[in-house]
Amino acid sequence: MKLLLINGPNLNMLGIREKSIYGSMMYKDIMRGLKQYASANGVKLTVYQSNSEGKIVDKIQKAYKRFDGIIINPAAYTHTSIAILDALKAVDIPTIEVHLSDVNNREEFRKTSYVSLYAKKTIMGKGKDGYYLAIDEFIKQS
């Protein structure tokens, strides 16, 4: 199984930014652990992060017929990007949306997710464990 994990803007700053919300573990360490976990479970995990909406759209489009699933944490683009939603719909790859924090218990504007209109599941408020749960969900359904 081949999964693509896409992280949106500012997630590369994990471990530095708003530790009370996102924790103190560094982004690269979280991603390294996810790759090891995926590999140990027979999953090829490709990780991608961008602060640019257009680059995320490009990456989703390039995933067409190359990946069995997409795990996406669109970060701030969750609440603003119809382009990312449309790209996911266009490639029609099963998608799980992940958020480290529980966005429903934060600012009002964070309660709208365009990606959730397409994603088959949304996992939020589980910290980095949300990514592991998403991988497990794909494994379970394969």
Side-chain angles (χ1 to χ4, degrees):
M1 174 183 318
K2 291 171 59 177
L3 298 178
L4 173 62
L5 169 57
I6 299 174
N7 285 300
N10 299 309
L11 287 168
N12 58 311
M13 300 298 286
L14 289 175
I16 298 168
R17 67 181 282 225
E18 300 176 277
K19 292 179 185 178
S20 63
I21 296 173
Y22 300 108
S24 59
M25 194 166 191
M26 299 298 287
Y27 175 80
K28 65 180 175 157
D29 296 329
I30 295 170
M31 295 305 116
R32 185 178 323 121
L34 287 168
K35 285 182 178 182
Q36 290 170 350
Y37 180 79
S39 179
N41 284 281
V43 174
K44 168 92 170 89
L45 182 67
T46 300
V47 174
Y48 178 77
Q49 188 278 327
S50 180
N51 295 317
S52 170
E53 180 181 31
K55 288 181 180 179
I56 293 170
V57 169
D58 289 343
K59 192 67 170 180
I60 292 168
Q61 290 177 356
K62 288 175 185 170
Y64 183 65
K65 293 193 175 189
R66 293 183 57 221
F67 289 91
D68 302 304
I70 295 174
I71 299 167
I72 187 168
N73 182 342
Y77 290 134
T78 302
H79 325 290
T80 63
S81 183
I82 295 168
I84 291 173
L85 168 64
D86 286 348
L88 290 168
K89 290 164 75 176
V91 298
D92 197 29
I93 298 170
T95 299
I96 296 177
E97 176 183 21
V98 172
H99 297 284
L100 300 170
S101 67
D102 184 346
V103 293
N104 288 326
N105 289 323
R106 294 187 59 196
E107 302 91 339
E108 193 63 32
F109 68 86
R110 294 190 193 274
K111 295 179 182 178
T112 298
S113 169
Y114 289 107
V115 170
S116 69
L117 298 174
Y118 174 75
K120 68 179 190 171
K121 183 172 189 154
T122 299
I123 300 169
M124 66 175 81
K126 304 289 185 188
K128 68 178 174 54
D129 291 342
Y131 292 116
Y132 290 91
L133 293 169
I135 292 168
D136 287 345
E137 185 70 24
F138 276 114
I139 291 169
K140 183 172 73 174
Q141 297 194 7
S142 66

